[in-house]
Amino acid sequence: MVRYAPWQIGLQQEALDDRRQELAGIIDRLPDIRRRLWSGSRHEKEFGVAVARYRFVEEMRASSLNNPPDLGSSESRRFERYQRNARTLVDEPVRELIETARQRYAELDRRGRLVNPADREDLNRARSLFGQKFELERDLRESRQHYAQQVIDDLRSRINVANQHGRFAVTGGQSLEVLHAQVRAPEAKIDPPTQEIELGQEGALAEHYREAACEEFASLMACAGHRDLYDPATRTGDMITRKDFSDVTSAPGAPAAARDHVVVYFGPPAAPEGVVCEAWTDQPRALGALDYSVREAHAYENNYQKWAHGRDYLATARAQYLDHEWIANHPRADITASPNTATATLEAIEDHADAHAVYQIGHPYHGVADPALGRPLNQDTLLATGAQGFAVYPEDWSPTPLTPSSDQAEALGPYLPAGAASLSFGDRMLPMAHGSGSEGESSSAEPVAPGHFAYDQFGYGHPAWSASVEGQFSDLSVSDSPSPPGQTDPGPGAIQQAGSSHSWTPSQTLAYLAQVNAASAGQDYAEQGYPGQGYPAGSNPQQPARRGGRGR
């Protein structure tokens, strides 16, 4: 393993993008190579499904940067499933077929059959590119995690989380008063000329008053990335994305609420080497983007995305764009933290004026259900504020029986925190579902704490359990009214099909998969998957040009 310095990451990402682009071209040619190696339709379905699925993931990675799918749509849910299990469902089927084709080529060559030397070169090169891709994904992910975790640890050692229940309780609500009255006071800021300076203002005020919520932590992480993830010698910087999980909606009967949560990614936000910087949860972590606990994160808009510039916007904002006279007249409050205050505050939490802005969220890991770690950060727990006593189900739903029927469990699932039989809040006992995971996961798996991961030779980690992914191809029989191949406007996520006059969009690829599935129903080969972290084939090469360190 190679651990890159922060300023080296951008250039190495370009190397990975180049390898992915070359590999994608070879994979597009695999169906033609198959026809030259086997007569008739032998292996036609396996090659068709594996290549189409690989294309779909690449296309969705590219298109979600600027044109994300609708949250909850069948297209988005398919992509989510492949993201969570993509090493198994996307990469390995293609890699195994490449090995099968190489063996077939060698067999025909031994028999003296006429074969195409270019096919051999393609197959050997694809084998090598897969290995290089996996290594670069692992090294870039771990290098980003190492850097980001250091920044997070430093920030959390100096700045409190104002709107998590622990800090709010021990200060009797004073932490949120400081956040709203001082950290976010418009009077403390001079009109910023750029969005980067605005991020610096938010971060500088949070540092000064020592209170922050997710927005301020995201701004501080973005400023650190701009400062450190740039190489002036090569003029290359890493991608910095600020994503807002806003307008969280709920099922009929759930509490009406719209919550915001802001987070920063380093690297491509929907790729295995990308890292999400979650500094706000009780257990702050930098973790792989595909391990993040928010469902369908790719379906949310990126409200900021640029390449690192190498400038210290935090220092610039602090020196030039804060009203220091106002700050001097509004000194940092001397907040007293007390266990007695915490008890009294939590007992009356639902009556507090700011209860709707107080959360109880423990960690950002997907697929981990452990009561000791607290609740995962997701759309459901973002609705469970202090105003509801942190209940993760609608108030008009009875918390009994403790063991709901299978029908009830299915209906209540999104609103029940995972990990234990019950959780006590005062005199209320809430039912909790065991191992309630997203599609493709085993609901009976034992909970595993972060760090209890198994890793292969490329560092692809997953919780230490295995489970069969049911209905591997059942989702391919439904399409989203796809446009016919040959349309004139393929969209930003299209990849040119080798030997064709048109490009394939995600919906076209899904239509092809549906046709393949319908033509050979009941003959699907089995694939084994696992819950937790999965690593897809990589981000699409059609990403914004970034030579010279320029951003969007």
Side-chain angles (χ1 to χ4, degrees):
M1 175 198 162
V2 178
R3 176 170 291 163
Y4 298 109
W7 59 87
Q8 296 175 316
I9 289 174
L11 188 63
Q12 294 304 316
Q13 181 67 50
E14 291 190 352
L16 173 57
D17 292 342
D18 291 342
R19 284 160 176 78
R20 280 182 174 146
Q21 185 170 9
E22 184 181 358
L23 180 60
I26 297 174
I27 290 173
D28 277 344
R29 296 192 289 273
L30 282 180
D32 293 332
I33 294 174
R34 182 208 66 80
R35 283 190 288 270
R36 290 190 286 269
L37 295 178
W38 285 279
S39 60
S41 60
R42 189 175 181 187
H43 296 302
E44 181 178 6
K45 184 201 168 180
E46 291 96 320
F47 274 84
V49 168
V51 171
R53 186 175 285 182
Y54 193 99
R55 281 180 181 145
F56 171 72
V57 170
E58 285 196 327
E59 292 157 359
M60 288 296 293
R61 286 170 182 270
S63 63
S64 65
L65 289 175
N66 298 304
N67 186 28
D70 292 336
L71 180 67
S73 66
S74 58
E75 183 180 58
S76 179
R77 287 163 54 209
R78 288 189 189 98
F79 185 44
E80 170 82 354
R81 177 168 171 248
Y82 295 155
Q83 288 281 75
R84 299 299 190 184
N85 301 279
R87 180 71 188 271
T88 301
L89 299 183
V90 181
D91 274 357
E92 289 304 333
V94 175
R95 196 158 72 143
E96 289 170 6
L97 289 172
I98 288 171
E99 288 301 310
T100 300
R102 290 179 70 251
Q103 294 171 13
R104 175 65 173 172
Y105 187 100
E107 177 187 350
L108 294 178
D109 196 26
R110 284 194 302 269
R111 295 179 186 175
R113 297 276 298 275
L114 184 63
V115 289
N116 186 350
D119 291 345
R120 177 176 60 191
E121 293 177 7
D122 273 350
L123 293 171
N124 288 340
R125 180 60 177 161
R127 184 191 194 193
S128 174
L129 286 170
F130 258 118
Q132 295 175 45
K133 180 179 80 74
F134 289 152
E135 289 180 2
L136 278 169
E137 287 173 347
R138 174 200 64 196
D139 293 347
L140 283 169
R141 183 179 66 254
E142 295 191 7
S143 296
R144 287 181 174 115
Q145 282 183 274
H146 179 73
Y147 162 73
Q149 191 64 53
Q150 287 183 314
V151 177
I152 290 172
D153 290 344
D154 173 62
L155 293 176
R156 287 294 295 269
S157 71
R158 298 181 288 110
I159 304 172
N160 300 297
V161 185
N163 61 340
Q164 282 278 18
H165 74 291
R167 177 65 177 171
F168 180 83
V170 299
T171 64
Q174 294 180 74
S175 59
L176 270 182
E177 293 174 11
V178 170
L179 181 73
H180 294 311
Q182 295 179 310
V183 176
R184 295 182 176 177
E187 301 87 351
K189 304 172 185 176
I190 298 172
D191 288 344
T194 66
Q195 191 172 1
E196 287 79 19
I197 295 297
E198 185 177 5
L199 298 176
Q201 290 175 320
E202 293 175 356
L205 288 170
E207 283 192 329
H208 177 74
Y209 288 108
R210 299 178 187 171
E211 298 289 346
C214 59
E215 183 173 350
E216 288 75 25
F217 281 117
S219 297
L220 286 161
M221 293 304 300
C223 288
H226 272 300
R227 181 191 64 217
D228 299 332
L229 298 174
Y230 177 77
D231 183 2
T234 60
R235 298 184 64 198
T236 53
D238 199 15
M239 178 184 284
I240 301 171
T241 301
R242 192 171 183 265
K243 192 179 284 283
D244 189 349
F245 302 107
S246 62
D247 298 326
V248 177
T249 58
S250 55
R259 297 276 71 84
D260 284 353
H261 180 64
V262 183
V263 76
V264 159
Y265 290 77
F266 292 154
E273 71 274 15
V275 165
V276 60
C277 308
E278 186 51 81
W280 175 75
T281 50
D282 282 343
Q283 298 190 49
R285 291 290 182 270
L287 66 158
L290 305 188
D291 277 337
Y292 196 35
S293 52
V294 174
R295 297 187 300 274
E296 298 180 55
H298 56 267
Y300 292 86
E301 296 283 347
N302 302 324
N303 64 9
Y304 179 86
Q305 189 170 72
K306 291 188 179 180
W307 308 105
H309 301 321
R311 298 171 185 167
D312 192 339
Y313 293 109
L314 187 65
T316 301
R318 186 185 295 115
Q320 302 177 30
Y321 293 96
L322 294 182
D323 188 331
H324 295 284
E325 182 179 355
W326 186 95
I327 294 172
N329 291 330
H330 296 80
R332 183 169 50 239
D334 184 14
I335 297 177
T336 301
S338 166
N340 293 331
T341 301
T343 301
T345 301
L346 288 175
E347 286 178 352
I349 184 69
E350 294 172 60
D351 298 325
H352 199 285
D354 290 322
H356 65 281
V358 183
Y359 301 88
Q360 190 180 58
I361 297 177
H363 68 88
Y365 291 95
H366 168 76
V368 174
D370 186 341
L373 301 175
R375 295 170 171 175
L377 190 159
N378 57 41
Q379 288 90 332
D380 307 317
T381 54
L382 285 173
L383 292 175
T385 67
Q388 296 133 237
F390 305 112
V392 195
Y393 65 93
E395 287 294 339
D396 57 349
W397 287 0
S398 171
T400 58
L402 288 179
T403 306
S405 67
S406 58
D407 290 342
Q408 290 173 320
E410 183 176 355
L412 297 174
Y415 302 100
L416 298 176
S422 64
L423 184 64
S424 175
F425 292 99
D427 59 353
R428 290 195 289 177
M429 190 71 73
L430 307 186
M432 302 184 72
H434 283 281
S436 56
S438 60
E439 184 179 55
E441 295 179 14
S442 168
S443 62
S444 61
E446 291 298 321
V448 177
H452 296 183
F453 279 61
Y455 292 89
D456 64 14
Q457 61 176 318
F458 297 110
Y460 293 99
H462 54 87
W465 64 65
S466 62
S468 174
V469 177
E470 299 177 358
Q472 298 297 334
F473 291 91
S474 61
D475 62 332
L476 304 183
S477 61
V478 180
S479 63
D480 297 316
S481 302
S483 305
Q487 67 177 19
T488 57
D489 182 16
I495 292 181
Q496 187 71 23
Q497 183 189 21
S500 173
S501 60
H502 70 275
S503 296
W504 286 57
T505 63
S507 60
Q508 292 168 349
T509 303
L510 286 171
Y512 172 75
L513 291 171
Q515 293 168 4
V516 170
N517 190 63
S520 55
Q523 301 177 21
D524 300 321
Y525 59 87
E527 295 175 316
Q528 295 297 314
Y530 51 76
Q533 184 172 10
Y535 289 103
S539 60
N540 189 281
Q542 296 181 345
Q543 293 181 344
R546 57 181 170 128
R547 306 294 175 179
R550 293 173 295 183
R552 305 196 281 109

